[in-house]
Amino acid sequence: MKRRYRHLSAGAVSVALGAALWHVVRVRPTPSVSVASLVADALPASGVSHNVTAVLLNFRSYDTLLEVAVLLAAAVVALALRDEPSARSPAHVMYVALDAFVWRLAPLLVLVAAYLLWAGSTRPGGAFQAGSVLAGAAVLLRLSGLKVTAVDHRLASRGAMTFGLVMFLCVAIGTLLAGQALLEYPAKWAGALILLIEAALTISIGVVLYSLFDNAPQARVSDRESERQRER
Amino acid sequence: MSADRLYAYVGAVLVALALYAFLVHTHVLRRLLAFNVMGGGTFLILVGLAQDGRGPDPVPQALVLTGIVVAVSATALAIILLRRWFATSQTTSLPEDGSS
């Protein structure tokens, strides 16, 4: 009885929300300002020729700065919740075909990431896409049992995680010291600064996403927990 | 009706379906998945509605790109919390309000 009530009320709420959204999409309120044309007008001064990158890293770079901070916060919480390193046992089993494949694929993925980063200034691409490709490469290496030395190293990985945010903050403070508004790049340097920030972000995003994957606790009950439960 | 408008309609349907799944299921992983689908629907509405008949609008696209990255990391964090919860409590759902 209680279950049916739950389904009915959930259905009613969802249908109401869906109908409201449907109505909004159908009516489609017209905005008084066209932000797309504002962006197009300001694009030459942004330092890049792709409009989404210009919005992400120049016009609304404050959002991106905070987003990187959110990523870092997620990674820090994940690190705090990880199993003890001894609990993880990545035993490397040799699979000839898998190893050969991964060894050839990994450098290619790094190359793809570098291209995506570079392409971001003129066409779709950028730090986030490049960072996710890097993280994907690291996950692939990890799943095939190979060691990702640079990321397994504690200090190096912590450094790489914060690198993007630190670089971003340095640029932000630098623009303030130069007498500009926060994150208002001087027109001459805008392109170089955006590429610099994006390169740092790529590394950080890659390492953060990989560490979120790598530090996930085991799904099975740890020995300590089962011992504790036996004692009860 | 343009393709962009179609994306927005699909987004509205996805949000409604995901809300239903989110409310009905008690398994935490199902709730997390439902929440992600809801986020996907929101992204579709944002981008589809903004560029319907006006060409690509970079501002919502940048917003959605930021949203996707945050959603991915938040989902990863939620899965980590979920695994921790399962390891300690041996249940896949959270306690109901009022029950101990």
Side-chain angles (χ1 to χ4, degrees):
Chain A
M1 191 63 202
K2 198 183 163 193
R3 202 181 156 77
R4 177 182 289 174
Y5 177 69
R6 180 184 198 144
H7 278 254
L8 274 177
S9 52
V13 172
S14 327
V15 167
L17 179 68
L21 285 175
W22 188 279
H23 178 71
V24 171
V25 173
R26 199 168 52 82
V27 172
R28 196 185 64 150
T30 340
S32 52
V33 192
S34 166
V35 278
S37 56
L38 285 179
V39 169
D41 291 344
L43 196 59
S46 71
V48 287
S49 60
H50 189 245
N51 48 14
V52 177
T53 308
V55 172
L56 272 177
L57 283 145
N58 196 334
F59 307 141
R60 297 293 311 163
S61 47
Y62 187 57
D63 292 352
T64 311
L65 176 65
L66 290 183
E67 173 199 352
V68 182
V70 167
L71 270 179
L72 190 63
V76 168
V77 177
L79 276 176
L81 286 172
R82 76 188 190 283
D83 286 335
E84 269 123 71
S86 59
R88 300 192 276 135
S89 53
H92 183 201
V93 190
M94 272 293 277
Y95 295 106
V96 178
L98 179 69
D99 282 7
F101 176 65
V102 169
W103 273 120
R104 279 160 183 76
L105 192 63
L108 207 63
L109 283 173
V110 175
L111 202 65
V112 170
Y115 169 73
L116 279 174
L117 170 67
W118 179 251
S121 53
T122 52
R123 65 203 82 172
F128 301 114
Q129 291 87 331
S132 350
V133 171
L134 271 188
V139 168
L140 186 71
L141 285 175
R142 178 87 169 80
L143 285 180
S144 57
L146 298 165
K147 266 209 156 3
V148 191
T149 322
V151 188
D152 284 339
H153 190 272
R154 223 179 131 105
L155 200 64
S157 72
R158 308 283 154 90
M161 271 186 212
T162 44
F163 184 51
L165 185 63
V166 168
M167 183 68 85
F168 217 145
L169 282 175
C170 285
V171 172
I173 294 167
T175 55
L176 282 181
L177 289 179
Q180 312 255 34
L182 182 77
L183 285 168
E184 186 195 337
Y185 315 128
K188 209 167 72 179
W189 293 96
L193 282 176
I194 286 177
L195 195 62
L196 178 74
I197 293 173
E198 281 210 297
L201 286 186
T202 303
I203 296 171
S204 282
I205 289 167
V207 177
V208 163
L209 290 181
Y210 172 71
S211 93
L212 281 171
F213 170 82
D214 192 37
N215 288 314
Q218 300 287 326
R220 57 168 175 73
V221 195
S222 68
D223 299 337
R224 216 178 24 166
E225 286 300 332
S226 55
E227 241 169 64
R228 205 181 294 164
Q229 276 176 356
R230 235 176 285 138
E231 281 165 15
R232 271 182 209 157
Chain B
M1 186 172 68
S2 72
D4 293 324
R5 186 76 74 96
L6 185 65
Y7 288 137
Y9 278 123
V10 171
V13 173
L14 278 182
V15 169
L17 287 175
L19 180 67
Y20 178 74
F22 182 78
L23 290 173
V24 163
H25 291 294
T26 53
H27 194 299
V28 203
L29 188 59
R30 283 177 189 272
R31 289 205 154 172
L32 181 62
L33 286 175
F35 207 73
N36 266 287
V37 174
M38 205 189 292
T42 318
F43 296 153
L44 277 177
I45 296 178
L46 256 176
V47 169
L49 200 56
Q51 63 189 37
D52 172 39
R54 303 191 195 99
D57 188 339
V59 176
Q61 288 200 12
L63 263 177
V64 166
L65 190 56
T66 306
I68 290 172
V69 178
V70 170
V72 166
S73 57
T75 305
L77 184 59
I79 293 175
I80 288 172
L81 287 173
L82 202 158
R83 281 191 160 185
R84 192 43 96 171
W85 166 253
F86 179 70
T88 49
S89 72
Q90 292 294 293
T91 56
T92 55
S93 53
L94 296 172
E96 296 275 337
D97 288 343
S99 68
S100 58

